Amino acid sequence: RAWARPCSPVRWVGGVPPRARRAHALRGSRVSKSDAEDTLSALERLVGGVSSGEAAESAEEDVKQVAAETSTAIVREVLVELEPPDNIAAASFEVKSANTRVVQSVIAPPLGVVFEQNSCGEIVVAEIVPGSNAAALGTVAIAAGDILRACSAMIPEMKYATGGLMLGGNGRPGFRRVLFVTPTGDDLLLPQNAFAQTMSAITSNAKAGGFDVNVVVERREKT
């Protein structure tokens, strides 16, 4: 696909609150609260988990649908174990070529990953910080040049004891673990700062209680 204009360079280092660095902007400018809240309101990008059987059926249907829409599409399906066995998210991604792999990893916060937005409308792993949690997993799990396609995120919800809702009992604030699908291309160029949304989705795991981050990346064959 061809893009109408290059996106502004943006960079974020995993393990600290998300910061955006744009051309001619002050380095380390903090993402506003409204940007962070936009992450959790981007419901069309959140994939809720289901049981393992339902997830497998959903992934198969997604692949057929994407392939039907574009007959030449190359699609990779993944099942992301958010909280197995009852919270497994199914997602499908259109990739560049048949040699492209989709790789999953689970990384403890702080990640130690530098993400950048490139001129093609993609969020790329620019660097793995030496000695970080990501580095400990090795390049098999995540490496510079990988394209971020999805990550786990925590969204607020009320928790009720069994039968408590029907009996009118009071709930308590909690979180639900979901899969955030990374915007790419034209979606990343939208004015609501999709890069900041994605970084906020990553950091929501730590903010909710130090949860590990499920990371899904696209790894292309180097030419």
Side-chain angles (χ1 to χ4, degrees), residues 56-216:
E57 292 177 5
S58 177
E60 184 176 353
E61 291 175 0
D62 286 346
V63 170
K64 291 179 180 178
Q65 180 180 349
V66 173
E69 292 174 352
T70 52
S71 58
T72 59
I74 301 171
V75 180
R76 297 284 185 264
E77 62 177 284
V78 295
L79 298 178
V80 182
E81 297 185 347
L82 299 171
E83 295 170 314
D86 298 321
N87 189 4
I88 299 176
S92 299
F93 305 101
E94 183 178 346
V95 297
K96 288 288 186 180
S97 71
N99 295 325
T100 299
R101 298 168 53 208
V102 173
V103 180
Q104 292 189 55
S105 60
V106 179
I107 311 174
L111 307 188
V113 179
V114 178
F115 291 101
E116 289 184 345
Q117 177 181 319
N118 67 15
S119 61
C120 298
E122 299 167 326
I123 297 178
V124 183
V125 176
E127 179 186 347
I128 303 296
V129 178
S132 65
N133 290 327
L137 297 178
T139 56
V140 173
I142 187 168
D146 288 346
I147 311 298
L148 181 64
R149 299 304 304 265
C151 64
S152 58
M154 304 296 286
I155 60 174
E157 74 170 9
M158 294 299 293
K159 300 287 187 179
Y160 295 91
T162 304
L165 183 60
M166 296 182 62
L167 298 175
N170 294 326
R172 58 181 178 81
F175 291 91
R176 179 162 61 96
R177 194 169 177 82
V178 297
L179 186 68
F180 179 87
V181 178
T182 305
T184 58
D186 293 334
D187 288 343
L188 199 60
L189 301 179
L190 295 177
Q192 64 263 32
N193 200 346
F195 181 89
Q197 289 184 356
T198 304
M199 298 304 103
S200 294
I202 292 175
T203 56
S204 69
N205 295 274
K207 291 178 179 178
F211 289 92
D212 292 348
V213 184
N214 294 76
V215 177
V216 181

